[in-house]
Each structure stands twice: as structure tokens, then as C-alpha cells.
Amino acid sequence: MPALIIDGKAIAEQIKAEVKRDAERLKRERGIVPGLAFILVGEDPASQVYVRSKGKACEEMGFHSITERLPETISQQELLTLIHRCNHDPKIHGILVQLPLPKHIDESTIIEAIDFKKDVDGFHPVNVGRLVLGHKCFRPCTPAGVQELLLRGGNDPSGKHVVVVGRSNIVGKPVMNILLQKQRGANAVVTIAHTGTSDLSTYTKQADILVAAIGKAEAIRGDMLKPGCVVIDVGINRIPDPTAKSGTRLVGDVHFASASNVARAITPVPGGVGPMTIAMLMKNTLLAAEGAMYK
Ligand code: NDP
């Protein structure tokens, strides 16, 4: 039987509807409108698209948002000055610096300059550290979205063996840190694999839940999976497709056709993890505005 599709688009819409409802209440009861500042440096087309769709989501939620578009040549000091201004702006509850940054700007310095109480991306070392410790914090949006997809798709990871393929700071490691906590909706046995893993299939075949965050098109095939597992495909890769109008199409890190013959449930690409990232960003911004994370 082909795998059940975990509909990330529908789950993301559900989350956004909840955020919108709570934002309206926040405005009504406390006069607070959640505010998000986007900082975009340079002309990277993918970054432009991401920032546009995040801005559109803010509009849908009734949030206040500003987008600072800066030239590629901006100095690190000028960028820091802008961040300090946003840190002190009471109308701004969340700050998002779209990555990657130009080579002459040090990413860590920029991320660390953001007030961790406004770090809705969850990349500041204070939030990273608190996540590892199992304390309340802003959790990175894509990994938090992975957990929500599991829970709302009826696949509680508690007690399950989760194998995460990929150990990046923005996806693999935080997925691991979220799912291994002794907390409701987590409490999983987590294994993390990477390029140093000698026989990847040995590990992927043991996964009750497989999270693929590799950045390699269709690298994980059905014969690498345990029958009946749940697959969360974080990957977004564009590959040539002569049958498509644009000549390309998006695929995940998992080979969908073969995997969906083996797995019990699977996220599609597009329409799986992708929409969750923006939904979780909206949720983090609401939490920041409510002062729910830090006082
Ligand atoms: P990175 O390139 O930063 O990390 C990739 C990780 O995968 C690394 O840890 C690397 O190992 C590991 N890896 C690469 N090849 C293999 C392999 N053959 N076997 C085992 N491990 C391997 O990628 P990201 O984490 O940033 O992104 C991963 C994917 O998720 C990408 O496709 C990206 O586009 C997508 N993504 C999607 C988002 C969404 O909103 N849906 C958001 C963010 C990312 P090593 O550490 O040893 O190099």
C-alpha cells in the first residue's frame, strides 16, 4: 500500500490560523501587534523569494513587518548598527537576518548581535544553548516544523528510533536536540548520520522515523528504509526535468516513488516541511510579542 502523505501545507495553514487568532486576541486584549524585521543583504534571488513569502505571511497574520534591503557592499559595522536599532525598537519583536551573508561579513558576529529575546530564527547561541539544555527558548523554525509535522500527523516520536541524516546547525543538530528532550512530543532515541557514516543504510534501515536533511537530490531510496517507517524529507533540490515547462522541478533528499512503497507515511516535496518553516516563524514571532519566551 502506498504511504500516507503527510500534508505539510494543510498543517502549516492550521498553525497559521491559530497564530492569526491568537494575534488578534493579543491586539484586542493588550494592544500589541507582533512586529518582525527582515534584513536582506544583496541580491541573492532565493533570499529575495524567501523574504517576500515571509513578508506575505506577516500580512496574512496581521503582523507589522519591515524589510530592510541593503546593498551587497554594506559594511559589517553598518549592518550591526541596523541590528542595534531593531533591538531597541519596541514595535519589533522578532529580527530575521536572511542568510547567507556576503563573504566580508561574519555570520556569527551578526547573529550574536541580535537580542536573543528577538531571535525568532533560534540561531543565537543563547537559544541554541537553552535548546540543548531542554530550557524554554526560540527553536529554529524548520526543525520545530519537523516536530509539529510528526505530532499533528499522528506520529509521536516518543520512544521511537529517529535517524536524522545531516548534522547542520540549522537543521540536523536542532532536530536532534528537539526530539531527544525528556519532554512530551519528544523523548525519542536519536541517531545522527553524516558524511563520516560508513554504511548509511545500516542506520537508515533501523529508523522508525527518518529525517533527511542532506542537500542531495533523492539520495535516500526505498531500499534503505525500514518497512512501515515514517519519512520526513527536509531537502529542497532543483533537478533538470525536460517534461516540465521550466525545465526543472523540485525534489527532496528522499526518492519519493521508491520510499513511498516502503514507508507508512511520508512528506512530499514540495508541500511537506517547506510550508512549516514559515508557519513556525509566525508562531515564534507571536511568542516573542506575547513575551511568552523571555520577560
Ligand atoms: P548542509 O549542507 O548545511 O548540511 C548537510 C548535512 O548532510 C551535513 O551534515 C552533511 O554531512 C550531510 N550529508 C551530506 N551528504 C551526505 C551523505 N551522502 N550521507 C550522509 N550525510 C550527508 O544542509 P542543510 O542542513 O542546510 O540543508 C539540508 C537540506 O534541507 C537541503 O536540501 C536544504 O535545501 C534543505 N532545507 C530546507 C528547509 C525547508 O524550509 N524545508 C530549510 C533549510 C534547509 P557533513 O556534516 O559530514 O558534511
Side-chain angles (χ1 to χ4, degrees):
M1 207 168 63
L4 195 83
I5 304 295
I6 303 173
D7 187 347
K9 214 168 153 214
I11 295 174
E13 286 305 322
Q14 213 178 65
I15 292 169
K16 286 197 288 180
E18 292 163 11
V19 169
K20 188 171 181 196
R21 179 201 61 203
D22 291 351
E24 281 163 3
R25 188 185 308 141
L26 185 66
K27 187 175 176 190
R28 205 169 49 242
E29 293 177 0
R30 292 169 56 193
I32 300 172
V33 177
L36 186 49
F38 298 104
I39 301 178
L40 178 58
V41 183
E43 303 291 328
D44 178 53
S47 296
Q48 309 257 2
V49 172
Y50 290 142
V51 167
R52 247 197 324 273
S53 34
K54 288 168 186 172
K56 209 169 134 244
C58 282
E59 259 174 53
E60 274 175 55
M61 299 298 101
F63 289 4
H64 160 66
S65 78
I66 55 167
T67 304
E68 299 282 357
R69 291 172 200 281
L70 308 168
E72 181 96 20
T73 50
I74 192 165
S75 72
Q76 179 160 307
Q77 192 48 52
E78 285 170 300
L79 185 52
L80 288 171
T81 306
L82 174 61
I83 290 172
H84 291 144
R85 208 168 69 220
C86 294
N87 282 344
H88 292 103
D89 183 341
K91 283 201 187 126
I92 296 299
H93 305 96
I95 302 169
L96 187 147
V97 178
Q98 188 63 44
L99 303 176
L101 291 169
K103 295 259 177 300
H104 65 279
I105 296 177
D106 180 51
E107 235 164 66
S108 309
T109 306
I110 297 304
I111 290 169
E112 286 175 38
I114 297 171
D115 180 351
F116 67 86
K117 296 178 182 171
K118 297 190 177 188
D119 169 40
V120 286
D121 251 345
F123 294 159
H124 191 287
V126 169
N127 284 309
V128 176
R130 291 181 63 87
L131 177 64
V132 174
L133 293 168
H135 296 168
K136 209 153 94 169
C137 64
F138 289 115
R139 300 171 321 153
C141 302
T142 303
V146 168
Q147 186 189 32
E148 282 293 331
L149 273 180
L150 287 171
L151 295 176
R152 294 186 189 230
N155 297 295
D156 192 327
S158 180
K160 298 286 191 296
H161 184 195
V162 178
V163 176
V164 183
V165 190
R167 59 174 159 191
S168 74
N169 289 332
I170 61 163
V171 189
K173 278 186 210 158
V175 166
M176 173 190 76
N177 284 319
I178 288 172
L179 296 183
L180 64 73
Q181 297 302 330
K182 194 170 182 177
Q183 288 166 2
R184 274 183 61 193
N187 211 24
V189 178
V190 185
T191 298
I192 194 152
H194 41 75
T195 55
T197 306
S198 57
D199 181 6
L200 188 58
S201 294
T202 312
Y203 298 91
T204 54
K205 276 184 181 157
Q206 293 175 41
D208 301 315
I209 298 172
L210 182 105
V211 180
I214 319 172
K216 299 251 163 24
E218 302 178 319
I220 296 187
R221 304 186 60 90
D223 61 3
M224 298 168 72
L225 301 172
K226 173 167 145 179
C229 69
V230 173
V231 175
I232 306 290
D233 189 354
V234 184
I236 302 178
N237 310 284
R238 193 165 282 284
I239 60 164
D241 179 357
T243 67
K245 216 165 139 193
S246 63
T248 63
R249 72 188 159 99
L250 288 182
V251 296
D253 290 344
V254 176
H255 185 262
F256 186 83
S258 60
S260 54
N261 282 327
V262 181
R264 181 169 57 75
I266 187 167
T267 58
V269 178
V273 177
M276 295 298 290
T277 301
I278 293 187
M280 299 314 287
L281 174 68
M282 296 299 111
K283 187 160 182 183
N284 275 353
T285 306
L286 174 72
L287 291 170
E290 290 174 335
M293 218 45 96
Y294 300 106
K295 294 291 166 206

